[in-house]
Coordinates of all heavy atoms in Angstrom, one line a residue:
M1 N 0.8 -1.2 0.0 CA 0.0 0.0 0.0 C 0.9 1.2 0.0 O 2.1 1.2 0.4 CB -0.9 0.0 1.2 CG -0.3 0.6 2.5 SD -1.1 0.2 4.0 CE -0.3 -1.4 4.2
K2 N 0.3 2.4 -0.4 CA 1.0 3.6 -0.4 C 0.6 4.4 0.9 O -0.6 4.4 1.3 CB 0.7 4.4 -1.6 CG 1.3 3.8 -2.9 CD 1.4 4.8 -4.0 CE 1.8 4.2 -5.3 NZ 3.0 3.4 -5.2
V3 N 1.6 5.1 1.5 CA 1.3 5.9 2.6 C 1.6 7.4 2.3 O 2.7 7.7 1.9 CB 2.2 5.5 3.8 CG1 2.0 6.4 5.0 CG2 2.0 4.0 4.2
H4 N 0.5 8.2 2.4 CA 0.6 9.6 2.1 C 0.6 10.4 3.4 O -0.2 10.1 4.3 CB -0.5 10.1 1.2 CG -0.6 9.4 -0.1 ND1 0.3 9.7 -1.1 CD2 -1.4 8.4 -0.6 CE1 0.0 8.9 -2.2 NE2 -1.0 8.1 -1.9
V5 N 1.4 11.4 3.5 CA 1.3 12.3 4.6 C 1.2 13.7 4.1 O 2.0 14.1 3.3 CB 2.5 12.2 5.6 CG1 2.4 13.3 6.7 CG2 2.7 10.8 6.1
D6 N 0.1 14.4 4.5 CA -0.1 15.8 4.1 C 0.8 16.7 4.9 O 0.5 16.9 6.1 CB -1.5 16.2 4.2 CG -1.8 17.6 3.7 OD1 -0.9 18.4 3.6 OD2 -3.0 17.9 3.4
M7 N 1.9 17.1 4.4 CA 2.9 17.9 5.1 C 2.4 19.3 5.4 O 3.0 20.0 6.2 CB 4.3 17.9 4.4 CG 4.9 16.5 4.4 SD 5.1 15.8 6.1 CE 6.5 16.9 6.7
N8 N 1.3 19.7 4.8 CA 0.7 21.0 5.2 C 0.0 20.8 6.5 O -0.3 21.8 7.2 CB -0.3 21.4 4.1 CG 0.4 21.8 2.9 OD1 1.4 22.5 2.9 ND2 -0.1 21.4 1.7
L9 N -0.4 19.6 6.9 CA -1.1 19.3 8.2 C -0.1 18.8 9.3 O -0.3 19.1 10.4 CB -2.2 18.3 8.0 CG -3.3 18.6 7.0 CD1 -4.3 17.4 6.9 CD2 -4.1 19.8 7.6
C10 N 0.9 18.1 8.9 CA 1.8 17.4 9.9 C 2.5 18.5 10.7 O 3.0 19.5 10.2 CB 2.8 16.6 9.2 SG 4.0 15.9 10.3
Q11 N 2.4 18.3 12.0 CA 3.0 19.2 13.0 C 4.1 18.5 13.8 O 4.4 18.9 14.9 CB 2.0 19.9 13.9 CG 1.1 20.8 13.1 CD 0.2 21.6 13.9 OE1 0.1 21.4 15.1 NE2 -0.6 22.6 13.3
S12 N 4.6 17.4 13.2 CA 5.7 16.7 13.9 C 5.4 16.2 15.3 O 6.3 16.3 16.2 CB 7.0 17.5 13.8 OG 7.4 17.8 12.5
H13 N 4.2 15.8 15.5 CA 3.8 15.4 16.9 C 4.5 14.1 17.2 O 4.8 13.8 18.4 CB 2.3 15.1 17.0 CG 1.5 16.4 17.0 ND1 1.5 17.2 18.1 CD2 0.7 17.0 16.0 CE1 0.7 18.3 17.8 NE2 0.2 18.1 16.6
G14 N 4.8 13.3 16.2 CA 5.6 12.0 16.4 C 4.8 10.8 16.8 O 5.3 9.8 17.1
E15 N 3.4 11.0 16.9 CA 2.6 9.8 17.3 C 2.8 8.6 16.3 O 2.9 7.5 16.7 CB 1.1 10.2 17.4 CG 0.8 11.3 18.3 CD 1.2 11.1 19.7 OE1 1.3 10.0 20.2 OE2 1.4 12.1 20.4
C16 N 2.9 8.9 15.1 CA 3.1 7.9 14.1 C 4.5 7.2 14.2 O 4.6 6.0 14.0 CB 3.0 8.5 12.7 SG 4.1 9.8 12.3
V17 N 5.4 8.0 14.7 CA 6.8 7.4 14.9 C 6.7 6.4 16.1 O 7.4 5.4 16.0 CB 7.8 8.6 15.2 CG1 9.2 8.0 15.5 CG2 7.8 9.6 14.1
I18 N 5.9 6.7 17.1 CA 5.8 5.8 18.2 C 5.1 4.5 17.8 O 5.5 3.4 18.1 CB 5.0 6.5 19.4 CG1 5.8 7.6 19.9 CG2 4.7 5.5 20.5 CD1 5.1 8.6 20.8
V19 N 4.1 4.6 16.9 CA 3.3 3.5 16.5 C 4.1 2.6 15.5 O 4.1 1.4 15.6 CB 2.0 3.9 15.8 CG1 1.3 2.8 15.2 CG2 1.1 4.6 16.9
A20 N 4.8 3.2 14.6 CA 5.5 2.5 13.5 C 6.9 3.1 13.2 O 7.1 3.8 12.2 CB 4.7 2.4 12.3
P21 N 7.9 2.9 14.1 CA 9.2 3.6 13.9 C 9.9 3.1 12.7 O 10.9 3.7 12.3 CB 9.9 3.3 15.3 CG 9.2 2.1 15.8 CD 7.8 2.2 15.4
D22 N 9.5 1.9 12.2 CA 10.2 1.4 11.0 C 9.7 2.1 9.7 O 10.4 2.0 8.7 CB 10.0 -0.1 10.9 CG 8.6 -0.5 10.8 OD1 7.8 0.2 11.5 OD2 8.2 -1.4 10.1
V23 N 8.6 2.8 9.8 CA 8.1 3.5 8.7 C 8.2 5.0 8.8 O 8.5 5.7 7.8 CB 6.6 3.1 8.5 CG1 5.9 4.0 7.4 CG2 6.4 1.6 8.2
F24 N 8.0 5.5 10.0 CA 8.0 7.0 10.2 C 9.2 7.4 11.1 O 9.4 6.7 12.1 CB 6.7 7.5 10.9 CG 5.5 7.1 10.1 CD1 4.7 6.0 10.4 CD2 5.0 8.0 9.1 CE1 3.6 5.7 9.8 CE2 3.8 7.7 8.5 CZ 3.1 6.5 8.8
T25 N 9.9 8.4 10.8 CA 10.9 9.0 11.7 C 10.9 10.5 11.6 O 10.5 11.1 10.5 CB 12.4 8.5 11.3 OG1 12.5 8.6 9.9 CG2 12.7 7.1 11.8
L26 N 11.4 11.1 12.6 CA 11.5 12.5 12.6 C 13.0 12.8 12.3 O 13.9 12.4 13.0 CB 11.1 13.2 13.9 CG 9.6 13.1 14.2 CD1 9.3 13.6 15.6 CD2 8.8 13.9 13.2
G27 N 13.2 13.5 11.2 CA 14.6 13.7 10.7 C 15.1 15.1 11.2 O 14.6 15.6 12.3
E28 N 16.0 15.6 10.4 CA 16.6 16.9 10.8 C 15.5 18.0 11.0 O 14.5 18.0 10.2 CB 17.5 17.3 9.6 CG 18.7 18.2 10.1 CD 19.7 18.3 9.0 OE1 20.1 17.2 8.5 OE2 20.1 19.4 8.6
D29 N 15.6 18.8 12.0 CA 14.7 19.8 12.3 C 13.3 19.3 12.6 O 12.3 20.0 12.4 CB 14.6 20.9 11.2 CG 15.9 21.6 11.0 OD1 16.6 21.8 12.0 OD2 16.2 22.1 9.9
D30 N 13.2 18.0 13.0 CA 11.9 17.4 13.3 C 11.0 17.3 12.1 O 9.7 17.3 12.3 CB 11.2 18.1 14.5 CG 11.8 17.6 15.8 OD1 12.5 16.6 15.8 OD2 11.4 18.3 16.8
I31 N 11.5 17.3 10.9 CA 10.7 17.1 9.7 C 10.4 15.6 9.6 O 11.3 14.8 9.6 CB 11.4 17.7 8.5 CG1 11.7 19.1 8.6 CG2 10.5 17.4 7.2 CD1 10.6 20.1 8.6
L32 N 9.2 15.2 9.4 CA 8.8 13.8 9.2 C 9.3 13.3 7.9 O 9.2 13.9 6.9 CB 7.3 13.7 9.3 CG 6.8 12.2 9.3 CD1 7.1 11.5 10.6 CD2 5.3 12.2 9.0
V33 N 10.0 12.1 8.0 CA 10.3 11.3 6.8 C 9.7 10.0 7.0 O 9.5 9.5 8.1 CB 11.8 11.2 6.6 CG1 12.4 12.6 6.2 CG2 12.6 10.7 7.8
W34 N 9.2 9.3 5.9 CA 8.5 8.1 6.0 C 8.7 7.3 4.7 O 9.1 7.8 3.7 CB 7.0 8.3 6.3 CG 6.2 8.9 5.1 CD1 5.4 8.2 4.3 CD2 6.1 10.2 4.7 NE1 4.9 9.0 3.4 CE2 5.3 10.3 3.6 CE3 6.7 11.4 5.2 CZ2 5.0 11.5 3.0 CZ3 6.4 12.6 4.5 CH2 5.5 12.6 3.4
S35 N 8.4 6.0 4.8 CA 8.4 5.1 3.7 C 7.1 5.2 2.9 O 6.0 5.0 3.6 CB 8.6 3.6 4.1 OG 9.8 3.5 4.8
E36 N 7.1 5.6 1.7 CA 5.9 5.8 1.0 C 5.2 4.5 0.5 O 4.0 4.5 0.2 CB 6.1 6.8 -0.2 CG 6.5 8.1 0.3 CD 6.6 9.2 -0.8 OE1 6.1 9.0 -1.9 OE2 7.1 10.3 -0.5
E37 N 6.0 3.5 0.4 CA 5.5 2.2 0.0 C 5.7 1.2 1.1 O 6.9 1.0 1.5 CB 6.2 1.7 -1.3 CG 5.6 0.5 -2.0 CD 4.3 0.7 -2.6 OE1 4.1 1.7 -3.3 OE2 3.4 -0.1 -2.3
V38 N 4.6 0.6 1.6 CA 4.7 -0.3 2.8 C 4.0 -1.6 2.4 O 2.9 -1.6 1.8 CB 4.1 0.4 4.0 CG1 4.0 -0.5 5.2 CG2 4.8 1.7 4.4
P39 N 4.6 -2.8 2.8 CA 4.0 -4.0 2.5 C 2.6 -4.2 3.1 O 2.3 -3.6 4.2 CB 4.9 -5.1 3.2 CG 6.2 -4.4 3.3 CD 5.9 -2.9 3.5
D40 N 1.7 -4.8 2.4 CA 0.3 -4.9 2.9 C 0.2 -5.6 4.3 O -0.8 -5.4 5.0 CB -0.5 -5.7 1.9 CG -0.9 -4.8 0.7 OD1 -0.7 -3.5 0.8 OD2 -1.2 -5.3 -0.4
D41 N 1.2 -6.4 4.6 CA 1.0 -7.1 5.9 C 1.3 -6.2 7.1 O 1.1 -6.6 8.3 CB 2.0 -8.3 6.0 CG 3.4 -8.0 5.9 OD1 3.8 -6.8 5.8 OD2 4.3 -8.9 5.9
R42 N 1.6 -4.9 6.8 CA 1.7 -3.9 7.9 C 0.5 -3.0 8.0 O 0.5 -2.0 8.6 CB 2.9 -3.0 7.6 CG 4.3 -3.7 7.6 CD 4.6 -4.4 8.9 NE 4.3 -3.7 10.1 CZ 5.1 -2.7 10.5 NH1 6.2 -2.4 9.9 NH2 4.7 -2.0 11.6
R43 N -0.6 -3.5 7.4 CA -1.8 -2.6 7.3 C -2.3 -2.3 8.7 O -2.7 -1.1 9.0 CB -2.9 -3.3 6.5 CG -4.3 -2.6 6.5 CD -5.2 -3.0 5.5 NE -4.8 -2.7 4.1 CZ -4.9 -1.5 3.6 NH1 -5.6 -0.5 4.2 NH2 -4.5 -1.2 2.4
A44 N -2.3 -3.2 9.6 CA -2.8 -2.9 11.0 C -2.0 -1.8 11.6 O -2.6 -0.9 12.2 CB -2.8 -4.2 11.8
A45 N -0.7 -1.8 11.5 CA 0.1 -0.8 12.0 C -0.1 0.5 11.4 O -0.1 1.6 12.0 CB 1.6 -1.2 11.9
M46 N -0.3 0.5 10.0 CA -0.5 1.8 9.3 C -1.9 2.4 9.7 O -2.0 3.6 9.8 CB -0.5 1.5 7.8 CG 0.9 1.2 7.3 SD 2.2 2.4 7.7 CE 2.9 1.6 9.2
E47 N -2.9 1.5 9.9 CA -4.2 2.0 10.3 C -4.1 2.6 11.7 O -4.7 3.6 12.1 CB -5.2 0.9 10.3 CG -5.6 0.6 8.8 CD -6.6 -0.5 8.6 OE1 -6.9 -1.2 9.6 OE2 -7.1 -0.7 7.5
A48 N -3.2 2.0 12.6 CA -3.0 2.5 13.9 C -2.3 3.9 13.8 O -2.6 4.8 14.6 CB -2.2 1.5 14.7
A49 N -1.4 4.1 12.9 CA -0.8 5.3 12.7 C -1.8 6.4 12.3 O -1.8 7.5 12.7 CB 0.4 5.2 11.7
V50 N -2.6 6.0 11.3 CA -3.7 6.9 10.9 C -4.5 7.4 12.1 O -4.8 8.6 12.3 CB -4.6 6.3 9.8 CG1 -5.8 7.1 9.5 CG2 -3.8 6.0 8.5
D51 N -4.9 6.4 12.9 CA -5.8 6.8 14.1 C -5.0 7.6 15.1 O -5.6 8.4 15.8 CB -6.3 5.5 14.7 CG -7.3 4.7 13.8 OD1 -7.8 5.4 12.9 OD2 -7.5 3.5 14.1
A52 N -3.7 7.4 15.2 CA -2.9 8.1 16.2 C -2.6 9.5 15.8 O -2.3 10.4 16.7 CB -1.6 7.3 16.5
C53 N -2.6 9.9 14.6 CA -2.2 11.2 14.1 C -3.3 12.2 14.5 O -4.4 12.2 14.1 CB -2.0 11.2 12.6 SG -1.6 12.9 12.1
P54 N -2.9 13.2 15.4 CA -3.9 14.2 15.9 C -4.3 15.2 14.8 O -5.3 15.8 14.9 CB -3.1 14.9 17.0 CG -1.7 14.7 16.7 CD -1.6 13.3 16.0
M55 N -3.5 15.2 13.7 CA -3.8 16.2 12.6 C -4.5 15.5 11.5 O -4.8 16.2 10.5 CB -2.5 16.8 12.1 CG -1.6 17.5 13.2 SD -2.6 18.7 14.1 CE -3.0 19.9 12.8
M56 N -4.8 14.2 11.6 CA -5.4 13.4 10.5 C -4.7 13.7 9.2 O -5.3 13.9 8.1 CB -6.9 13.8 10.4 CG -7.7 13.3 11.6 SD -9.4 13.4 11.5 CE -9.8 15.1 11.6
A57 N -3.3 13.6 9.3 CA -2.5 13.9 8.1 C -2.1 12.7 7.3 O -1.6 12.8 6.2 CB -1.2 14.6 8.6
I58 N -2.4 11.5 7.8 CA -1.9 10.3 7.2 C -3.1 9.6 6.4 O -4.2 9.5 7.0 CB -1.3 9.3 8.2 CG1 -0.2 9.9 9.0 CG2 -0.8 8.0 7.5 CD1 0.3 9.1 10.2
R59 N -2.8 9.2 5.2 CA -3.8 8.6 4.4 C -3.2 7.4 3.7 O -2.1 7.4 3.2 CB -4.3 9.6 3.3 CG -5.4 9.1 2.5 CD -6.0 10.3 1.6 NE -5.0 10.9 0.7 CZ -4.6 10.3 -0.5 NH1 -5.2 9.2 -0.9 NH2 -3.7 10.9 -1.2
L60 N -3.9 6.3 3.7 CA -3.5 5.1 3.0 C -4.2 4.9 1.7 O -5.3 5.2 1.5 CB -3.8 3.9 3.9 CG -3.3 3.9 5.4 CD1 -3.7 2.7 6.1 CD2 -1.8 4.1 5.4
E61 N -3.4 4.3 0.8 CA -4.0 4.0 -0.6 C -3.5 2.6 -0.9 O -2.4 2.3 -0.8 CB -3.4 5.1 -1.5 CG -3.9 4.9 -2.9 CD -3.2 6.0 -3.8 OE1 -2.9 7.1 -3.4 OE2 -2.9 5.6 -5.0
N62 N -4.4 1.8 -1.4 CA -4.1 0.4 -1.8 C -3.2 0.4 -3.1 O -3.3 1.2 -3.9 CB -5.3 -0.4 -2.1 CG -6.0 -0.8 -0.8 OD1 -5.3 -1.0 0.2 ND2 -7.3 -0.8 -0.8
Ligands
SF4_101 S1 1.4 11.8 14.0 FE1 0.7 13.1 12.3 S2 1.3 15.2 12.8 FE2 2.5 13.8 14.0 S3 4.4 13.4 12.9 FE3 3.0 11.8 12.3 S4 1.9 12.6 10.5 FE4 2.9 14.3 11.5

């Protein structure tokens, strides 16, 4: 699946990093970096990241 993050909404809260640190990290200056293509067997973790984001910035696409 593809993982999209709207960087106009993301405020680097880092909740997604806590849920799935292998996919999301806070890089230099706390700017979020992430894997845009994630295996389908990680769907539960990605849905948890979507739910955890207080800005509703994460969107999944099959
Ligand atoms: S939880 Fe949402 S706002 Fe926070 S870093 Fe992740 S995408 Fe950005």
Side-chain angles (χ1 to χ4, degrees):
M1 89 200 77
K2 293 199 185 309
V3 178
H4 300 283
V5 178
D6 185 338
M7 292 304 287
N8 292 316
L9 295 176
C10 176
Q11 294 187 352
S12 300
H13 290 288
E15 305 297 337
C16 57
V17 179
I18 294 169
V19 170
D22 57 325
V23 174
F24 302 96
T25 43
L26 290 175
E28 208 167 309
D29 294 333
D30 278 350
I31 303 288
L32 185 72
V33 289
W34 72 98
S35 303
E36 295 188 14
E37 187 70 48
V38 175
D40 284 342
D41 62 3
R42 299 301 314 284
R43 175 164 291 278
M46 293 304 95
E47 288 178 350
V50 169
D51 291 343
C53 177
M55 302 307 296
M56 294 190 285
I58 306 172
R59 186 171 59 81
L60 307 179
E61 183 185 321
N62 285 325

